Amino acid sequence: MKILVTGGCGFIGSSFMELMLDKPDVSIVNIDKLSYCSNKNICKQYGDRYELIPSDINEIANVLNEKYSDIDQIFHFAAESHVDNSISDPFPFIESNVTGTFRVLEYARKHNKPILIVSTDEVYGSLSLNDKPSTEKDPLKPSSVYSSSKASADLIALSYFRTFGTKVIITRCCNNYGVNQYKEKFIPTIFNSLKNETKIPIYGNGENVREWINVLDHCEAVWAASQKGRFGEIYNIGSGYECSNLELVKKAIKVWGADESSMSFVKDRKGHDVRYSLDSSKIKKETGWSPKYTNMDAFVELASGMWKK
Ligand code: NAD
């Protein structure tokens, strides 16, 4: 089986590629523009089962010639992914997440390839602390340019299924944790601050709640959805484990052996959503997937050990 991965040098895409290349009969073509957060050396040990095409996905029609006609399936991870960057400079989010996804969909349509679009819980917008978890049928109410660009991509993808019959599946996952996450994200920020003995910046009052999943569970779920999911459907991927930013920081501080003077409450992020939470019963029921690595405290301990080295 030959798969096309977009954004495979990112945090989640690289984990997905490793999972796939562990299967002896899989080979991968990865299109990634190699941006500031990319892991450029990933998967080199897999020899000719792995090929990196260093390109923007907006060039997909030009860089994938007939040599790649044997691709069986597309996994679309590439995106600008950091909300804060979408506040300081929104345009790259439109170029990569909206126009870029459109071009990958066009490739899938023209070459009749099944495509799985990796999306996010953020498209549902903010929940209050008492709201029920979001289901796939809930309306989209994105708050940031990041989440609205992802919601736009989801809608275009669904229209490709409806209008052209393109074999589209969408997955929407909660916050991921795992090794090799780029330093701009929350968990690396916490441990880099502890290591450098600088204050850990916490937006607002720190009460914002996120659902957290191990990146390996996310990748297994993407694979399960691609193999057992139905075209034209959306699948939420969550762990059921929710915690506030403040709780997470306090856990890290305790494991590190620091005290709460390491925290600094900073001006809240513009449009900061209070809570995301997913109802993931559909993917569990239809594919049999369920999360395996459900102990986030164990990861916080592992991360602490890694940063101390
Ligand atoms: P990341 O920022 O770590 O990696 C993104 C990768 O995509 C990078 O290697 C980058 O170079 C590449 N890329 C971006 N724009 C591109 C373009 N125009 N052309 C080619 N390559 C491009 O992101 P991530 O955290 O690994 O997220 C991967 C996907 O998962 C994204 O679609 C994101 O929206 C989604 N997602 C992430 C999370 C999370 O917690 N990180 C949660 C849910 C969904």
Side-chain angles (χ1 to χ4, degrees), residues 11-12 32-33 35 38 56-57 77 81 96 146 150 176:
F11 166 52
I12 303 170
D32 194 302
K33 72 176 178 185
S35 63
S38 302
D56 195 301
I57 46 171
F77 290 86
S81 70
S96 285
Y146 165 64
K150 294 294 291 184
N176 283 220

Side-chain angles (χ1 to χ4, degrees), residues 106-148:
E106 269 296 272
Y107 179 85
R109 174 173 84 89
K110 286 189 179 147
H111 298 272
N112 193 24
K113 308 288 183 194
I115 175 166
L116 186 142
I117 306 274
V118 177
S119 186
T120 167
D121 58 359
E122 300 197 26
V123 297
Y124 296 117
S126 191
L127 298 178
S128 74
L129 297 180
N130 300 322
D131 281 337
K132 285 190 181 150
S134 304
T135 75
E136 291 83 351
K137 292 195 170 122
D138 283 355
L140 303 183
K141 291 187 184 164
S143 307
S144 67
V145 174
Y146 165 64
S147 53
S148 61

Side-chain angles (χ1 to χ4, degrees), residues 2 21 26-28 43-51:
K2 188 179 229 174
L21 288 167
V26 173
S27 63
I28 293 181
C43 295
K44 286 195 168 153
Q45 71 273 29
Y46 292 100
D48 59 8
R49 289 174 56 216
Y50 173 67
E51 180 182 353

